[in-house]
Amino acid sequence: MAEFTMELNDEQKEVRDWLHGFAADVMRPAAAEWDEREETPWPVIQEAAKVGIYSLDFYAQQYFDATGLGIPMAMEELFWGDAGIALSIVGTGLAAVGVLANGTEEQIGTWIPQMYGDPSDVKVAAFCSSEPDAGSDVASMRTRAVYDEAKDEWVINGTKTWATNGGIANVHVVVASVDPGLGSKGHASFIVPPGTPGLTQGQKFKKHGIRASHTAEVVLDGVRVPGSCLLGGKEKLDERLARAREKARKGGERVKNAAMATFEASRPAVGAMAVGTARAAYEVALDYARTREQFGRPIIDNQGVAFQLADMRTRIDAARLLVWRASWMAVNGRPFEAAEGSMSKLFASETAKKVTAQAIQILGGNGYTREYPVERMHRDAAIYTIFEGTSEIQRLVISRTISGMAIR
């Protein structure tokens, strides 16, 4: 087990500086353009693939970093560059984590490479869980998967929403109910291979922020996938469902479902994304406050501005420490006994919203225009308190964990 540390080693610093250079030199110059276009920045993703950032190998190296700091360090630097472009680069990772967390070795080896493609022909993947009537309330999921034993195929019907890369992905990972009577315990995850009939893109959303990232509905109409596309395999699913049914009869303990396992694993990473956006806005505000003069002196000379910057930096550092702690715990198998993963996501998300708003205030009228990036950063930051579990859901998870009560 790696000891918890707040200091990156030499190799991690080298990777951090490399990512920072890519974010500064490639992502930032393109950020405003792709935000306005509201399209997937394929040329930037391809550049990331060429240098090795958009690849299975890179994320695997960070994911298996024994200190737990590889992924949060990478997320912070990329989202410091630009949140919308960064999400287009890392969005495939949520689907990949879904396969890593729940799939067999054969499924991992088969499907994850197809999620990324190669530098000459980049691909993306999508993780499809949320539905029009089932976002935070995952037990209300209506997408159904029915097993056709004669053909060893699963037939999937339903509509997914808020899917990053939904409809344009090469590989879709879809969460569906296989036993509605068990609620969220009756869910399973499926690979939908490229070109599968019946899967189509529904509405593409025009969003407030992260506009360079493609978000859409995914419609599944009689989609048939081979039995081998059930993540983990049918034997494992049947065993899990049997345990869930037995515990349901006894009124026993809760059983963790595949989608929630994916979200738990990714929450500290989302916190790191929020830290990156907050840090970017803080740095713009700090530089502006040092150089902008009013009444014959830099505005940072005023306590009203200086104290805001002090609070911004304090919150950013605190958020990073919570993220690093949760990431270290996850990699080293430490249980989240106080919902530390949710804590990190909650605090970092709220920090990003607050810090970007303060940055606009410090820049004044300039901060409200698109001539300065803090306006875009503030729009981007709004998503962190919503996706992969709203702030309200994080508080619910934390309160239930620390109290042991079924708080509603």
Side-chain angles (χ1 to χ4, degrees):
M1 179 185 296
E3 294 294 326
F4 178 69
T5 177
M6 294 183 288
E7 180 69 26
L8 298 177
N9 59 41
D10 290 342
E11 183 178 348
Q12 291 168 330
K13 289 177 182 178
E14 184 177 342
V15 173
R16 178 199 62 191
D17 294 345
W18 170 54
L19 292 170
H20 188 83
F22 181 84
D25 298 339
V26 181
M27 295 172 66
R28 283 201 166 182
E33 174 189 352
W34 291 100
D35 178 72
E36 291 289 345
R37 291 176 64 167
E38 299 190 55
E39 296 174 0
T40 299
W42 292 106
V44 184
I45 299 175
Q46 187 170 37
E47 287 301 310
K50 287 179 180 177
V51 299
I53 293 173
Y54 186 74
S55 70
L56 172 61
D57 288 344
F58 172 72
Y59 288 106
Q61 289 173 13
Q62 306 315 310
Y63 185 82
F64 291 110
D65 182 338
T67 69
L69 303 186
I71 288 293
M73 175 269 296
M75 295 301 105
E76 180 176 338
E77 292 304 325
L78 292 173
F79 280 76
W80 173 90
D82 177 69
I85 293 177
L87 192 57
S88 288
I89 292 173
V90 308
T92 293
L94 186 58
V97 168
V99 177
L100 283 169
N102 304 298
T104 64
E105 289 187 9
E106 182 179 357
Q107 289 170 331
I108 291 169
T110 298
W111 295 111
I112 293 185
Q114 295 187 48
M115 294 179 175
Y116 289 94
D118 59 65
S120 63
D121 185 23
V122 293
K123 306 292 185 184
V124 294
F127 184 75
C128 307
S129 178
S130 294
E131 298 184 3
D133 297 318
S136 299
D137 183 11
V138 294
S140 297
M141 187 175 292
R142 294 182 179 178
T143 298
R144 299 287 183 261
V146 178
Y147 185 56
D148 183 343
E149 189 170 1
K151 295 184 177 180
D152 186 27
E153 292 179 339
W154 289 90
V155 185
I156 309 173
N157 287 281
T159 299
K160 295 297 181 178
T161 194
W162 309 123
T164 298
N165 298 329
I168 67 170
N170 193 50
V171 176
H172 291 76
V173 178
V174 176
V175 182
S177 175
V178 296
D179 188 335
L182 292 175
S184 62
K185 304 179 187 70
H187 295 174
S189 294
F190 300 85
I191 292 285
V192 180
T196 299
L199 186 149
T200 57
Q201 179 184 308
Q203 176 187 4
K204 177 186 175 182
F205 296 104
K206 296 181 71 66
K207 305 188 299 294
H208 176 64
I210 55 167
R211 300 197 302 191
S213 173
H214 176 97
T215 309
E217 290 182 332
V218 174
V219 180
L220 302 112
D221 184 8
V223 169
R224 283 182 169 268
V225 299
S228 60
C229 286
L230 166 65
L231 288 182
K234 193 167 187 304
E235 182 178 348
K236 184 177 178 181
L237 172 66
D238 289 342
E239 291 174 358
R240 178 166 62 82
L241 293 177
R243 290 196 303 269
R245 293 178 187 121
E246 180 63 23
K247 287 171 181 174
R249 283 194 293 270
K250 295 179 178 179
E253 61 188 277
R254 297 163 59 195
V255 177
K256 191 178 297 182
N257 67 75
M260 292 309 296
T262 300
F263 286 134
E264 284 182 14
S266 63
R267 276 172 180 159
V270 176
M273 298 173 189
V275 171
T277 299
R279 190 184 111 213
Y282 159 76
E283 290 176 1
V284 172
L286 177 62
D287 182 65
Y288 186 89
R290 284 170 170 165
T291 57
R292 172 70 167 174
E293 291 192 0
Q294 290 286 279
F295 305 105
R297 61 180 183 174
I299 63 173
I300 200 170
D301 281 356
N302 299 303
Q303 282 189 358
V305 173
F307 283 11
Q308 282 197 77
L309 288 163
D311 287 344
M312 292 159 75
R313 177 59 186 267
T314 300
R315 287 186 65 96
I316 291 167
D317 282 11
R320 182 184 298 109
L321 291 174
L322 284 170
V323 167
W324 283 17
R325 179 184 69 167
S327 300
W328 172 81
M329 291 176 68
V331 167
N332 286 281
R334 294 290 185 92
F336 288 163
E337 294 180 351
E340 288 86 351
S342 290
M343 281 185 186
S344 69
K345 198 266 186 185
L346 170 65
F347 191 81
S349 298
E350 297 291 343
T351 291
K353 283 186 66 174
K354 183 175 180 63
V355 166
T356 55
Q358 287 176 298
I360 290 177
Q361 192 68 26
I362 289 171
L363 270 67
N366 286 328
Y368 199 65
T369 71
R370 295 190 182 181
E371 298 301 313
Y372 288 80
V374 292
E375 176 271 341
R376 184 179 69 252
M377 293 169 182
H378 184 52
R379 287 189 285 108
D380 291 341
I383 194 60
Y384 298 128
T385 62
I386 299 172
F387 72 176
E388 294 201 48
T390 64
S391 288
E392 291 74 22
I393 289 297
Q394 306 309 321
R395 291 185 175 100
L396 186 63
V397 171
I398 296 165
S399 61
R400 285 179 173 177
T401 304
I402 62 177
S403 69
M405 303 292 289
I407 297 168
R408 297 183 181 278

